[in-house]
Amino acid sequence: MKQAPWAKAVQAIMKKKGIKQRDLMEVFDVRSQGAVSHYFSGRNNLSGEQIKRLTSFLGVDESVFHESEFEEDFATRLDVDALTESFQTIARIDNLSDTEIVNFFDVYEKMNPNRVAEVYEVLQKINQTKKDELSTALMSLKKAP
């Protein structure tokens, strides 16, 4: 699922102000950080009232929500929601204790899943470059007499 177009800009503002998604539960009128995450992932759409409360809470103008300003190509981007869901699924399958799960997701949140996605994207590009260079080198070997 694609990240909401406004999410990257709002996350940058949040990072600058030291605000976490869990701090927005009241603003979004939800009961969990996971529910807030659904808005950032684009799974749920913000209502006009939620936009007003969020911009007021962050002290920013509603222009942050104009999609055309923040559209990106997410074709090769790691799906942060899928990654988080994968970790949650593995935790259940492997019967991790509540303490282990809480500790893991505390660290995961500190690492910032979107940052993990950015690093993944960079490493993916580096690896693709290496594959391309290797393929070129192999092709040159085949041409030798």
Side-chain angles (χ1 to χ4, degrees):
M1 181 164 285
K2 271 188 178 180
Q3 182 180 34
W6 54 266
K8 189 169 186 173
V10 169
Q11 287 169 328
I13 294 164
M14 290 169 57
K15 184 175 183 178
K16 191 174 188 177
K17 296 184 176 206
I19 298 170
K20 304 285 185 199
Q21 283 188 2
R22 67 176 173 259
D23 300 328
L24 301 177
M25 291 174 5
E26 188 174 318
V27 171
F28 285 51
D29 195 26
V30 295
R31 296 180 185 238
S32 70
Q33 181 273 323
V36 172
S37 175
H38 285 222
Y39 290 97
F40 281 83
S41 70
R43 187 173 291 159
N44 291 341
N45 294 319
L46 289 175
S47 68
E49 183 60 34
Q50 287 171 317
I51 291 172
K52 286 179 186 176
R53 288 195 308 256
L54 181 59
T55 55
S56 175
F57 183 83
L58 296 174
V60 297
D61 187 80
E62 287 188 27
S63 64
V64 207
F65 295 92
H66 296 296
E67 291 187 21
S68 61
E69 294 179 34
F70 302 104
E71 287 182 8
E72 277 189 52
D73 176 19
F74 288 97
T76 60
R77 188 172 178 94
L78 177 66
D79 184 339
V80 173
D81 288 333
L83 178 64
T84 301
E85 190 173 335
S86 298
F87 287 140
Q88 292 168 339
T89 301
I90 291 169
R92 285 191 300 271
I93 290 170
D94 292 349
N95 294 318
L96 298 180
S97 70
D98 289 343
T99 303
E100 290 171 319
I101 293 170
V102 167
N103 289 339
F104 173 81
F105 280 99
D106 281 347
V107 171
Y108 182 61
E109 185 177 312
K110 285 179 185 175
M111 289 179 8
N112 184 345
N114 288 307
R115 185 168 176 241
V116 172
E118 289 172 12
V119 171
Y120 171 84
E121 193 172 342
V122 168
L123 292 174
Q124 187 178 34
K125 287 177 183 175
I126 290 170
N127 288 334
Q128 185 59 49
T129 301
K130 287 179 183 177
K131 287 178 187 176
D132 292 345
E133 289 172 358
L134 180 59
S135 178
T136 301
L138 287 173
M139 291 301 283
S140 69
L141 290 174
K142 290 181 183 178
K143 292 179 183 177

